[in-house]
Amino acid sequence: MLSEAEGYDLLRKYEIPVPEYQIVKNGEDAATAAEKMGCPVVMKIISPQIVHKSDAGGVMVGIGSKKAALGAFTRIIDNAKAYNAEAQIEGIMVEQQAEPGLELIIGGRTDPAFGKVITFGMGGTMVELMKDITLRILPVTDEEIRQMIHEINAYPLIAGYRGSKPRDEEGLVRIIQNVCRFFEENENVVEFDINPLRLYESGACAVDARVIVTDHVHKAERKEHPPVPLEYFTPRSIAVIGASQDSSKMGYAVMHNLLHFPGQLYPVNNKRPEIQGLKAYPTISAIPAPVDMAVITVPAVNVPSVVEECGAKGVSMVVIVTAGFKEMGPEGKALEDRVVQIAKGHGVRIIGPNCLGLIVPPRGIDTTYVHQSPKPGNIAFLSQSGAIINTVVDWSLAQNIGFSNVISVGNQCDLDFIDYLRYVEKDPKTKAIIMYIEQISDGKKFMEVVSEVAQSKPVIAIKSGSSRRGSAAASSHTGSLSGSYEVYMASVQEVRGHCGTHADRCIPCSTDACPPQALPPRQACGRHHKRRRLCRALL
Ligand code: ADP
Ligand code: MG
């Protein structure tokens, strides 16, 4: 964490107004500094171990004279020592006292999937209590900055409330622009809080800065997405490698669900000449005709050689149902990387591993082991959880709801949400898309693709883990207020809006018994949870 002084210096470079300050090491110097600066002044402890200075009695405001500054020096040092005997005290900051103003917070954090995120809201010491915060993923446009300002519940306090004069909204826009530039240009800054930023009728002043930097700049994973031909998802022939006659095996269930496939189905098993009534082959190479897709259920260690063989055979897509890869740790990850390398060498594309695979009801394809295949329909369902697929498919049968595609994405070692979105976008049977997301790796690319797909087909994203907030022990307010769930929600809000009439209806949060209400575009509904707005027409 940079010291407050270093933070101020950085902000000043970006034309963000901060108070004049001086660092002193003894009471006499504090008194001289106070006199030079002009009272009243504020004095603050400087210690790397004291993050929240007020908690340690490390901030004194309204120091009105030389003498008071002398006394404050000792008092602050004593308070800090009493708070944490081990704390290294590097000195005391004497700074100009800013006029009282509306206390706001501007913060930033780095999300593992989406990168740099900017937050804005009501600041001061009660931010966690008020939780009146909004966020955007960088970069943001001026328009988005204005929307952020408008969407906090306390916006009337900026616009002018009950006879009070409006505050400098344009000045605030410029400051947020500058803060965004500061965050984007300083790669090593991973998190920061400017809290409070005092906003006046004219101008503003940042009176605290907490900036966290790193030596190891983490870059979001960037993957190539070579286009996947549509026909890869509509194979004419499928081989099941590891097909089984033993009903306790996965290779049995997979084979069983594929028996309705109207194309060519080839069980591959090196021990039996026949599986579930079909002629079996000892290896995929032994099949006397071309094979478009292979479903792999053999143990993880055998997967590399099987994929190699599929490549040699000219298979275009493999569905690796087998688990025991990246999800198992570094060894599994290495095995998975090997599989990806081999597949790449042959131009074979991969669904999975560690997945249920793919159900295309209109074409009688079902590589999963769900109890009963779903009916054909117009919804594409892309899910990161196999258990959710099982439940949803069961439920859909009872509700008479069909699917164009159900895809269990698994570890996404090759094809991922982005490729599947591209596929269902083009798939003529798909009219709407639902995703169940646990985690994505390249959030920026995801937003870009979802926004394109959402132009032509409605996309609904369900994000798991909504109760997991940012680390409670985070050293910045921003860290604890903008957990990954909030960032995911912001990413989907960004791309929403293809439906002009319905997209801005407010759905009451499940706990509040309050009726939905129409809202102007992208405005928060003050009474309800502002992030629960969804398009009713799409539900
Ligand atoms: P903390 O580490 O506890 O967040 P701050 O530096 O934010 O410490 O100071 C606590 C409070 O003191 C601020 O929220 C603000 O209200 C007030 N304050 C701090 N610096 C100044 C200043 N230069 N002028 C006026 N008020 C200040
Ligand atoms: Mg503060």
Side-chain angles (χ1 to χ4, degrees), residues 270-523:
N270 59 7
K271 297 203 189 73
R272 289 177 162 273
E274 196 189 291
I275 300 278
Q276 297 185 39
L278 291 177
K279 176 176 166 43
Y281 296 85
T283 62
I284 189 166
S285 335
I287 298 169
V291 175
D292 294 336
M293 178 182 275
V295 185
I296 300 174
T297 68
V298 299
V301 283
N302 301 331
V303 171
S305 62
V306 166
V307 171
E308 180 75 61
E309 227 183 308
C310 289
K313 175 75 185 165
V315 168
S316 48
M317 184 121 91
V318 293
V319 179
I320 306 176
V321 177
T322 311
F325 291 92
K326 192 172 76 186
E327 78 282 7
M328 297 298 283
E331 256 173 65
K333 169 82 169 79
L335 188 62
E336 189 171 300
D337 289 345
R338 226 168 89 219
V339 171
V340 172
Q341 263 341 88
I342 294 168
K344 245 195 193 145
H346 289 284
V348 176
R349 305 307 302 266
I350 305 171
I351 296 181
N354 183 26
C355 71
L356 294 182
L358 160 90
I359 313 177
V360 191
R363 292 182 173 266
I365 297 171
D366 184 352
T367 77
T368 75
Y369 43 88
V370 294
H371 302 303
Q372 203 184 329
S373 297
K375 298 195 173 73
N378 300 116
I379 301 170
F381 179 36
L382 315 176
S383 170
Q384 215 163 353
S385 154
I388 294 282
I389 289 185
N390 266 312
T391 312
V392 167
V393 165
D394 269 358
W395 164 86
S396 76
L397 291 165
Q399 300 289 322
N400 211 16
I401 289 173
F403 292 95
S404 55
N405 295 270
V406 177
I407 302 177
S408 158
V409 302
N411 293 5
Q412 308 185 74
C413 75
D414 176 25
L415 299 196
D416 60 19
F417 273 125
I418 289 168
D419 303 293
Y420 298 127
L421 277 165
R422 289 273 187 234
Y423 157 57
V424 294
E425 176 189 27
K426 284 188 246 126
D427 172 37
K429 288 265 193 281
T430 299
K431 297 232 159 67
I433 301 156
I434 305 182
M435 288 184 285
Y436 180 85
I437 300 170
E438 285 170 350
Q439 203 181 18
I440 52 180
S441 48
D442 184 350
K444 288 267 164 74
K445 181 81 190 172
F446 174 79
M447 279 166 66
E448 182 190 311
V449 173
V450 177
S451 58
E452 280 169 30
V453 175
Q455 303 287 321
S456 58
K457 295 177 184 182
V459 181
I460 295 175
I462 299 164
K463 168 73 177 79
S464 74
S466 60
S467 60
R468 254 177 282 141
R469 295 243 155 196
S471 152
S475 54
S476 73
H477 298 294
T478 301
S480 65
L481 284 168
S482 57
S484 98
Y485 181 72
E486 285 78 6
V487 181
Y488 275 87
M489 287 308 280
S491 81
V492 183
Q493 278 194 358
E494 296 272 334
V495 300
R496 199 186 38 137
H498 67 281
C499 162
T501 16
H502 305 99
D504 292 294
R505 281 185 158 236
C506 163
I507 300 237
C509 34
S510 48
T511 48
D512 293 354
C514 47
Q517 49 177 240
L519 288 168
R522 297 200 65 134
Q523 287 248 335

Side-chain angles (χ1 to χ4, degrees), residues 88-295:
Q88 260 171 280
I89 295 168
E90 295 179 349
I92 284 201
M93 232 165 116
V94 180
E95 60 182 58
Q96 282 178 329
Q97 177 157 309
E99 293 293 320
L102 180 65
E103 297 207 334
L104 301 169
I105 178 170
I106 307 175
R109 70 171 273 265
T110 309
D111 182 86
F114 292 93
K116 294 193 168 185
V117 172
I118 190 101
T119 62
F120 165 76
M122 274 302 277
T125 44
M126 286 185 286
V127 270
E128 277 90 356
L129 195 67
M130 313 287 274
K131 289 203 179 76
D132 189 10
I133 295 278
T134 175
L135 64 87
R136 290 289 186 284
I137 295 157
L138 291 185
V140 291
T141 60
D142 293 356
E143 193 42 43
E144 284 172 303
I145 291 175
R146 290 201 165 81
Q147 282 164 358
M148 285 176 85
I149 296 174
H150 290 179
E151 96 197 355
I152 64 168
N153 295 333
Y155 174 65
L157 298 179
I158 296 173
Y161 186 64
R162 295 198 158 176
S164 72
K165 288 220 174 108
R167 306 208 172 233
D168 190 352
E169 192 172 326
E170 276 315 299
L172 179 60
V173 171
R174 277 194 304 278
I175 288 174
I176 300 179
Q177 284 167 342
N178 290 341
V179 172
C180 291
R181 200 158 54 81
F182 146 77
F183 198 21
E184 281 178 309
E185 287 180 7
N186 291 276
E187 268 211 328
N188 62 333
V189 172
V190 285
E191 194 165 313
F192 69 90
D193 269 345
I194 300 171
N195 182 34
L197 174 91
R198 290 191 168 169
L199 183 64
Y200 306 121
E201 283 165 27
S202 169
C205 186
V207 296
D208 189 14
R210 199 168 287 156
V211 180
I212 298 164
V213 293
T214 179
D215 297 333
H216 311 282
V217 177
H218 167 86
K219 287 247 159 125
E221 199 180 313
R222 286 252 144 185
K223 195 160 109 184
E224 301 264 314
H225 289 92
V228 189
L230 215 54
E231 56 276 17
Y232 278 30
F233 291 92
T234 57
R236 286 152 303 170
S237 49
I238 301 177
V240 178
I241 304 176
S244 176
Q245 192 66 22
D246 173 354
S247 64
S248 69
K249 293 258 170 75
M250 198 151 56
Y252 175 92
V254 169
M255 189 63 202
H256 183 80
N257 279 2
L258 273 168
L259 287 174
H260 302 291
F261 176 55
Q264 290 299 319
L265 182 62
Y266 304 108
V268 174
N269 180 309
N270 59 7
K271 297 203 189 73
R272 289 177 162 273
E274 196 189 291
I275 300 278
Q276 297 185 39
L278 291 177
K279 176 176 166 43
Y281 296 85
T283 62
I284 189 166
S285 335
I287 298 169
V291 175
D292 294 336
M293 178 182 275
V295 185

